[in-house]
Amino acid sequence: MVEPADSRTPSASDLPAWVKVIALGVEIALHVQPGASVGVHAQRLKVALQAPPVEGRANEALVRFLAAMLGVAPRQVVLVGGERSRDKRVELHGVEAAAAMRALAPIGSHE
């Protein structure tokens, strides 16, 4: 059964290129760079981290950062692509697209 669309839920055409609705919540596309400015880069949300990209520290920092921004447990933030790349895909389990966009708007608004 398909539930009626909530007026607060954006349609797929209203979503930024870096947001994709999935069965478990939302998938976001990121470009992660140490100490860089934030904003949108090549249709990915650009995030600056201080953690070095050594032994997974930057990925762990990214998960903690996103969990804090979204107000969710770190276990709800799952890196699904780009473990050794600056371009990453992260699933946000139990997070609606509108909530993710609101929480991450301060980052995406710096173009």
Side-chain angles (χ1 to χ4, degrees):
M1 178 174 139
V2 176
E3 296 182 16
D6 183 342
S7 62
R8 295 170 296 165
T9 303
S11 69
S13 63
D14 294 332
L15 296 175
W18 50 270
V19 176
K20 176 181 171 187
V21 176
I22 60 171
L24 295 173
V26 177
E27 180 178 290
I28 58 174
L30 301 166
H31 181 78
V32 180
Q33 203 168 340
S37 61
V38 296
V40 177
H41 171 77
Q43 296 188 337
R44 293 177 175 273
L45 187 62
K46 187 174 180 182
V47 177
L49 293 177
Q50 296 301 319
V54 177
E55 297 177 7
R57 285 189 237 159
N59 290 335
E60 292 169 9
L62 176 65
V63 167
R64 287 192 308 273
F65 170 75
L66 291 173
M69 290 286 295
L70 294 158
V72 300
R75 70 179 175 275
Q76 291 176 258
V77 180
V78 180
L79 181 63
V80 294
E83 184 176 320
R84 295 178 181 265
S85 170
R86 289 185 178 182
D87 292 335
K88 301 182 183 297
R89 290 181 304 110
V90 176
E91 288 184 357
L92 309 172
H93 296 177
V95 177
E96 294 182 1
M101 289 173 20
R102 275 192 308 276
L104 300 173
I107 298 170
S109 64
H110 296 85
E111 302 220 32

